[in-house]
Amino acid sequence: MTRDDTRLAEAHGIPMEQVVDRLGIAGLRRLGAELVGPCPVCGGTDRFGVNVLTNVFQCRKECGPHAKGDQVSLVQLVLGKSFPEALEWLVGPRQELSPEERRALDARAAENRRRREEAARRAREQAILQARTVWARAGAAEGTLVQDYLARRGIPAPLLAPMPKCLRFVADLPFTVPVKGEAGRWRTIHTGPAMIAAVQDDAGRLGAVHRTWIDLDQPSGKARIVDPEGEHADLPAKKVLGSKKGGAIRLRSPAGATTMVMGEGIETTLSALVAEAVPGAAAFWAGVDLGNMAGRRRLGQGLRYAGLPDLADDEAFVPPAQIRKLVFVQDGDSDPKLTRAKLEAGLRRAMALRPGLTGAIVHAGEGRDLNDVLRGT
Ligand SMILES: [Zn+2]
């Protein structure tokens, strides 16, 4: 190894988040494994992303030769330095940094991190407030299009009765998208009836609402969301507002339930519920999305399908302490192998944090399969 190789390896060992902080890149928000926000060079609102797991950043506008890459490339992009200069800026030679310089650099990184976390916290609180406002103005789902929509999805009202309290209805919910190039501004591209589902955190507080825009003229029962300005094509008719971390949609929660069945979506979970696979006592919660059910996974060489949870992730779903058996319902998916690995990671997290709990995965629509799992010991 030449001296530069060693120093490059050292540079690659610096977490990307720390490089971001040292460079003073502002305005990034945490979005899963990514920090997303304006590009420090060409601006915008969300064209720049840093993956903190893979330590790779990218400017989607491709604003220069270093618009994508590693720690060194990021320093080159932001400070306009050559490769040797950027490497030196990152890793040394360390002995040339005086203790005061080292302290000043560390203090600057700490201050930038504090600011970013504060901004993220404020944005999250704002979103939770908005979610609670949507929930408060929504009405009971009985006798509304919510029942017709669910019937269309194979879940007729009589089988579901009583209607889960976590589902509500709004007749005229706006669907908004961010205004391009104007941070914090939104425009409405659709207004119509919607099913609102409460996403509750582990303490039972409402952290987010899951919204499904309804249009019974469509075969799926879901609205077609078309942007009149043509900036977006065929947007999904489902969106979450608020902070869903670790939360779930509690479709049925019998007191004392020790078995929990969880699908990703409301419809999948309700289908399992009405299949009467479980005599009586299981809880049926929807996990909102696969990322929330799986949590962060350990990644690296050969680990893509290993299904190992990163137990340092404290934002993933973990079932309540009374649950002894957790059954995940796997949806049809374009990459079933990866989906399964993610679900396995979620189950292993639950088993690690709830000693004695057992986990299982069944496939959506295979009622008998689910039935066997639930009856078995
Ligand atoms: Zn850029």
Side-chain angles (χ1 to χ4, degrees), residues 237-252:
K238 297 180 173 190
K239 278 214 284 190
V240 174
L241 172 66
S243 169
K244 62 174 177 261
K245 65 171 186 180
I249 300 168
R250 304 181 176 188
L251 293 161
R252 188 151 294 174

Side-chain angles (χ1 to χ4, degrees), residues 62-93:
E62 299 186 7
C63 65
H66 301 292
K68 181 179 181 177
D70 62 0
Q71 290 88 336
V72 183
S73 291
L74 183 57
V75 173
Q76 289 185 258
L77 173 75
V78 176
L79 300 181
K81 287 181 180 293
S82 67
F83 179 85
E85 287 168 347
L87 194 55
E88 170 131 3
W89 190 89
L90 276 170
V91 297

Side-chain angles (χ1 to χ4, degrees), residues 55-354:
N55 282 330
V56 170
F57 77 94
Q58 182 173 18
C59 165
R60 283 188 286 108
K61 276 279 167 192
E62 299 186 7
C63 65
H66 301 292
K68 181 179 181 177
D70 62 0
Q71 290 88 336
V72 183
S73 291
L74 183 57
V75 173
Q76 289 185 258
L77 173 75
V78 176
L79 300 181
K81 287 181 180 293
S82 67
F83 179 85
E85 287 168 347
L87 194 55
E88 170 131 3
W89 190 89
L90 276 170
V91 297
R94 280 187 173 274
Q95 60 273 31
E96 287 178 15
L97 273 185
S98 71
E100 294 84 61
E101 286 170 324
R102 174 77 56 78
R103 267 198 297 277
L105 212 55
D106 287 350
R108 185 178 164 196
E111 172 59 16
N112 193 36
R113 167 175 292 255
R114 195 195 59 74
R115 263 201 226 124
R116 181 152 50 75
E117 285 175 351
E118 174 60 20
R121 194 189 57 76
R122 272 204 307 270
R124 193 165 55 235
E125 278 179 3
Q126 186 69 29
I128 292 172
L129 274 179
Q130 289 171 349
R132 289 181 178 164
T133 305
V134 170
W135 181 248
R137 68 175 277 254
E142 275 93 355
T144 70
L145 283 176
V146 169
Q147 286 188 328
D148 300 323
Y149 166 73
L150 291 175
R152 175 72 61 87
R153 305 303 302 263
I155 307 147
L159 283 186
L160 194 55
M163 195 69 178
K165 286 208 165 17
C166 63
L167 298 182
R168 288 187 177 177
F169 175 66
V170 171
D172 55 352
L173 189 71
F175 187 114
T176 59
V177 293
V179 175
K180 207 173 175 179
E182 293 182 52
R185 284 201 53 213
W186 297 73
R187 61 189 169 91
T188 299
I189 62 171
H190 172 92
T191 300
M195 173 171 76
I196 313 293
V199 181
Q200 292 172 264
D201 68 13
D202 54 1
R205 290 171 303 226
L206 186 104
V209 285
H210 177 284
R211 301 158 295 173
T212 307
W213 278 266
I214 299 170
D215 179 0
L216 294 179
D217 290 340
Q218 304 296 331
S220 68
K222 288 182 288 185
R224 278 197 64 214
I225 309 292
V226 180
D227 179 4
E229 292 187 17
E231 191 191 323
H232 306 273
D234 270 334
L235 289 161
K238 297 180 173 190
K239 278 214 284 190
V240 174
L241 172 66
S243 169
K244 62 174 177 261
K245 65 171 186 180
I249 300 168
R250 304 181 176 188
L251 293 161
R252 188 151 294 174
S253 294
T258 56
T259 295
M260 174 174 289
V261 179
M262 174 174 273
E264 195 181 336
I266 296 166
E267 297 83 353
T268 305
T269 310
L270 285 180
S271 297
L273 193 162
V274 301
E276 289 189 336
V278 202
F284 286 81
W285 289 12
V288 188
D289 64 38
L290 192 54
N292 185 48
M293 292 162 74
R296 229 164 42 222
R297 288 177 303 137
R298 284 174 50 201
L299 293 174
Q301 190 111 46
L303 290 181
R304 184 171 166 80
Y305 299 114
L308 299 177
D310 174 355
L311 291 177
D313 180 6
D314 58 1
E315 301 200 347
F317 173 78
V318 179
Q322 73 190 55
I323 298 301
R324 310 313 297 155
K325 182 180 254 181
L326 179 60
V327 182
F328 279 168
V329 184
Q330 179 171 354
D331 274 317
D333 191 81
S334 54
D335 190 348
K337 208 174 153 198
L338 186 58
T339 301
R340 191 169 181 94
K342 290 180 178 178
L343 292 177
E344 281 172 352
L347 289 179
R348 288 192 175 117
R349 169 177 290 99
M351 289 189 271
L353 299 176
R354 301 273 183 257

